[in-house]
């Protein structure tokens, strides 16, 4: 069989999708299941039993022996607890059994998952409940059933529950808007997401020699190699054989799991690559992205490689992000962000566009806070894509149209008048307006928005919950004002114009890296939350609490719990990094510097004996510089050590956050600067860990 012929038969073999269901479950049960999806109701127990039985038979035939509820706790990773299908049968025998009850509900002992105080210890157990909108799949011999994870009193303890709620919220409001435009056919509007996943591949043997990579996922120090990404020769460059073999294997594994892995290419930094799937509904996209990250790590291991998903494994070369391509689609197959061809379609498009612009401006701090965590601090606002200030890039054509609406200026040279919404046809907007301003955190790319701030390691759930809910809020704003209007086109025009006029400040087509943008953004009153310590507190601004509670996405309690977890998580990460750095300095760096100095001094002594009168300028200068640096290092690292061991005991979570950022992280950077300098002086034979050159150019 030719390679390309394999793919269709490979695709989804490990997924209990509709095709598999049709084979293993009665028609009635499939219909009942579909009806439940449509109505958002739960399955009758007998139907659940039947689906469970079919699922089990399918799974066993495909080599599974166990099943697990697969969920996404607040750790940002996925969790699973495996049970075998085995059930005792008379005569000391066993049968393979799986009942509807086990399919729809599970009770993992979940007391060790972060709950932000939501789950009192006396009620430590949470429960998992089947998410019938996401297909079950087989992974490593286990049938994995995607589930939500909640506390006994029903509070969300995971990343899936609020995502599903936010999808409902935006669906409700979008339908209201569509009805205003006479669309009675659409029954459901779904948020679509396509996440582009960046990652690094490094050699496993080298990786294993670095404690920081193993414990923190990133290098805590490392001098810049003589060559980085200056030549842009890696970007879209030819893929090396070892990487190509990994990518082929990865594609196959992902296809088997029903992930539409589509695009692969080299990224900007050496050893950096990207995988993009074809977009799906936000819930599936989120599940699939978690699976993709896990699969990348597994497949890399098989190839003697390690896949680094950290946002900034190496200083000085680009970090990794996850561009979150987002749009809204109807069940009739329309993309609501695709500019239309008739005046009415245009008007509808402009409403959705205006709603998005208004929402991003009003909730810019919220969006920023959904991508705030220790790893991403190295990217956002730190001299690389994208800056920490939220703005939207629209491209020339749309920008002109918006100017025309707000200022009454001409929108095409031939029509010497401003655009009248609902009356005029939009000028053609090219699908791909891309010279693609790559510095923009939020970019309109023809028929979708690309949110470029999420970090490569993070779950895309948080950012998409925010995008969906913000959109729900703004669509509601329009729907509330337009339902019952007596002059629909006139009112629509005025509302769009009002929204755009009031929120235009968020649109920026210039260079986001430029210093002048920071000044300009401040003038416009845009938030510039430079790091997690500044951005995380914004998560619980009153307007954000109102937003989420109003749309039923989070209760205030759930929101506060998440806030606690985010802050705690930041502190824990910095704490671990600082301790790792201290450990490496103590056990590796100081020793290496001292060994090398000894070797230099030995040389000096030997030279003086053997070659009287010959100077030892090189050895002396090196030994001296290294001694000075080591003294500095000792001082700085002692400061760091003290900072980590004297964390203020009575501090609030917010104070701790600030402490870890302002004191501990700052101390780490000072230590790092000295080590990086040392690395350039110490001879390779003495340097205790693989360098950036080794790591970035060895695969
Ligand atoms: P680029 O790197 O130029 O941004 P890619 O092709 O690598 O483009 O990635 C684009 C991503 O956007 C893909 O995952 C694609 O499936 C996704 N995408 C395309 N159309 C939509 C849409 N309407 N809604 C959401 N995602 C989309
Ligand atoms: Mg992109």
């Amino acid at each position: 069989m030719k390679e390309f012929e394999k793919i269709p038969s490979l695709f989804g073999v490990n997924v209990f999708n509709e095709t598999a269901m049709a084979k293993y479950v009665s028609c009635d049960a499939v219909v009942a299941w579909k009806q439940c999806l449509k109505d958002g109701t739960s399955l009758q127990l007998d139907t659940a039993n039947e689906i469970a039985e079919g699922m089990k038979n399918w799974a066993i035939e495909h080599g599974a022996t166990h099943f697990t509820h697969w969920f996404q706790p607040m750790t940002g990773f996925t969790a699973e607890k495996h049970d075998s299908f085995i059930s005792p049968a008379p005569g000391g025998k066993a049968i393979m059994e799986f009942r509807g009850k086990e399919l729809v509900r599970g009770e993992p002992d979940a007391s060790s998952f972060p709950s932000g105080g939501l789950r009192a210890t006396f009620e430590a157990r949470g429960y998992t409940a089947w998410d019938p909108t996401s297909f079950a799949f087989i992974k490593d011999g286990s049938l994995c059933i995607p589930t939500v994870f909640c506390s006994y009193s029903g509070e969300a303890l995971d990343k899936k529950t609020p995502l599903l709620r936010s999808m409902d919220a935006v669906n409700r409001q979008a339908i209201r808007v569509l009805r205003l435009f006479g669309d009675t056919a659409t029954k459901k509007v779904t948020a679509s997401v396509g996440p582009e996943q960046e990652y690094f591949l490094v050699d496993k043997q080298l990786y294993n020699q670095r404690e920081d990579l193993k414990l923190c996922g990133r290098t805590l120090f490392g001098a810049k190699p003589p060559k980085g990404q200056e030549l842009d020769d890696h970007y879209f460059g030819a893929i090396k054989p070892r990487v190509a073999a990994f990518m082929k294997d990865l594609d196959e594994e992902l296809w088997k799991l029903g992930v539409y892995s589509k695009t692969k290419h080299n990224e900007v930094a050496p050893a950096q690559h990207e995988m993009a799937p074809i977009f799906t509904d936000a819930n599936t996209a989120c599940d699939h992205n978690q699976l993709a990250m896990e699969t990348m790590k597994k497949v890399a291991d098989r190839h003697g490689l390690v896949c680094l998903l950290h946002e900034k494994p190496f200083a000085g070369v680009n970090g990794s992000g996850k561009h979150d391509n987002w749009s809204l689609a109807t069940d009739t197959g329309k993309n609501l962000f695709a500019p239309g061809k008739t005046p009415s379609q245009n008007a509808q498009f402009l409403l959705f566009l205006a709603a998005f612009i208004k929402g991003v401006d009003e909730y810019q701090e919220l969006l920023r806070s959904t991508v705030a965590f220790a790893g991403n601090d190295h990217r956002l606002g730190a001299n690389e894509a994208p800056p920490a200030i939220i703005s939207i890039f629209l491209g020339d054509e749309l920008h002109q149209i918006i100017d025309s609406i707000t200022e009454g200026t001409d929108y095409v040279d031939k029509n010497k008048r401003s655009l009248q919404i609902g009356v005029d046809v939009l000028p053609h907007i090219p699908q791909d307006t891309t010279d693609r301003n790559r510095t923009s955190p939020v970019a309109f790319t023809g028929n979708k928005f690309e949110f470029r701030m999420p970090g490569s390691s993070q779950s895309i759930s948080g950012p998409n919950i925010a995008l969906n809910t913000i959109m729900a809020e703004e669509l509601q704003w329009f729907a509330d004002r337009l339902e019952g209007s007596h002059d629909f086109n006139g009112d629509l025009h005025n509302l769009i114009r009002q929204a755009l006029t009031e929120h235009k400040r968020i649109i920026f087509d210039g260079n986001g890296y430029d210093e002048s943008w920071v000044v300009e953004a401040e003038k416009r009153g845009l938030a510039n939350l430079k790091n997690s310590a500044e951005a995380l507190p914004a998560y619980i601004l009153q307007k954000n609490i109102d937003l989420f509670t109003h749309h039923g996405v989070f209760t205030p309690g759930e929101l506060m719990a998440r806030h606690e977890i985010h802050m705690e998580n930041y502190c824990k990460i910095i704490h671990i990094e600082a301790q790792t750095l201290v450990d490496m300095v103590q056990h590796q760096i100081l020793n290496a510097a001292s060994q090398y100095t000894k070797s230099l001094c030995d040389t000096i002594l030997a030279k003086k004996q053997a070659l009287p009168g010959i100077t030892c300028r090189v050895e002396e200068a090196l030994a001296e510089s290294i001694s000075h640096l080591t003294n500095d290092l000792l001082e700085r690292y002692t400061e760091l050590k003290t900072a980590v061991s004297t964390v203020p005991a009575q501090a609030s979570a917010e104070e701790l956050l600030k402490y870890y950022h302002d004191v501990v992280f700052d101390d780490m950077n000072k230590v790092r600067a000295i080590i990086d300098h040392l690395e350039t002086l110490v001879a390779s034979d003495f340097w205790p860990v693989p360098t950036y050159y080794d790591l970035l150019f060895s695969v």
Side-chain angles (χ1 to χ4, degrees), residues 672-692:
R672 174 191 184 130
I674 303 171
I675 306 178
D676 287 357
H677 192 175
L678 262 177
E679 187 184 317
T680 63
L681 299 179
V682 173
S684 306
D685 288 350
F686 288 82
W687 197 247
V689 295
T691 63
Y692 275 20

Side-chain angles (χ1 to χ4, degrees), residues 583-613:
D583 201 50
M584 290 179 86
V585 170
Q586 191 152 311
H587 296 112
Q588 297 187 300
I589 306 299
L590 288 176
N591 184 50
S594 146
Q595 291 291 321
Y596 183 48
T597 314
K598 176 177 180 296
S599 146
L600 289 168
C601 293
D602 288 350
T603 309
I604 295 169
L605 285 178
K607 258 179 149 179
K608 283 192 171 151
Q609 241 176 24
L611 310 161

Side-chain angles (χ1 to χ4, degrees), residues 22 112 174 215 239 245 333 368 392 413-414 423 440 477 598 646 674:
S112 294
L215 296 184
I239 298 170
R368 172 67 183 89
I392 302 178
D413 355 78
K414 47 183 197 299
V423 178
S440 185
W477 186 85
K598 176 177 180 296
T646 56
I674 303 171

Side-chain angles (χ1 to χ4, degrees), residues 456-662:
S456 47
S457 71
Q458 92 175 98
S459 157
I460 51 170
S461 167
N464 285 305
I465 291 170
L467 286 171
N468 294 341
T469 314
I470 290 170
M471 201 59 192
E473 170 70 17
E474 304 306 343
L475 292 176
Q476 177 173 46
W477 186 85
F478 279 99
D480 284 351
R481 281 158 186 75
L482 287 169
E483 281 170 355
S485 153
H486 298 297
D487 170 18
F488 182 71
N489 275 344
D491 288 345
L492 176 65
H493 184 98
N494 290 337
L495 284 175
I496 290 180
R497 186 176 177 162
Q498 180 191 342
L500 292 175
T501 310
E502 285 170 8
H503 300 285
K504 220 173 149 165
R505 61 171 185 168
I506 198 79
I507 300 169
F508 176 63
D509 286 356
N511 179 0
Y513 297 162
D514 212 275
E515 265 307 299
S516 62
W517 169 229
V518 178
V519 181
E520 162 74 14
E522 196 180 340
K523 260 194 232 142
R524 295 190 190 187
L526 299 180
N528 181 5
L529 304 169
K530 294 187 214 61
N531 49 60
S532 299
E534 291 180 18
L536 283 179
Y539 188 62
I540 50 155
L541 289 177
Q542 190 57 46
K543 62 177 175 183
N544 299 340
I545 300 179
D546 294 345
L547 172 78
F548 282 129
T549 51
H550 176 71
H551 292 277
V553 173
F554 287 119
T555 63
E558 287 172 335
L559 210 55
M560 290 312 290
R562 259 150 231 263
H563 179 52
E564 291 282 320
I565 292 171
H566 298 153
M567 289 191 296
E568 224 177 78
N569 192 266
Y570 178 87
C571 299
K572 281 183 188 161
I573 300 260
I574 302 294
H575 192 85
I576 293 170
E577 288 186 348
Q579 278 188 318
T580 306
L581 186 57
V582 164
D583 201 50
M584 290 179 86
V585 170
Q586 191 152 311
H587 296 112
Q588 297 187 300
I589 306 299
L590 288 176
N591 184 50
S594 146
Q595 291 291 321
Y596 183 48
T597 314
K598 176 177 180 296
S599 146
L600 289 168
C601 293
D602 288 350
T603 309
I604 295 169
L605 285 178
K607 258 179 149 179
K608 283 192 171 151
Q609 241 176 24
L611 310 161
I614 288 287
T615 61
C616 302
R617 290 217 318 260
V618 172
E619 292 82 0
E620 280 169 9
L622 273 174
E624 204 172 311
S625 302
I626 291 171
S627 298
H628 284 312
L629 282 173
T630 328
N631 288 343
D632 288 350
L633 182 56
L634 186 67
E635 213 171 286
R636 290 299 185 194
Y637 124 98
T638 311
E639 264 170 37
L640 175 62
K641 222 164 128 175
T642 314
V644 186
S645 56
T646 56
V647 175
Q650 303 299 324
S652 69
E654 281 82 3
E655 285 161 352
L656 276 182
L657 178 68
K658 213 169 141 37
Y659 176 81
Y660 271 101
H661 178 268
D662 295 356

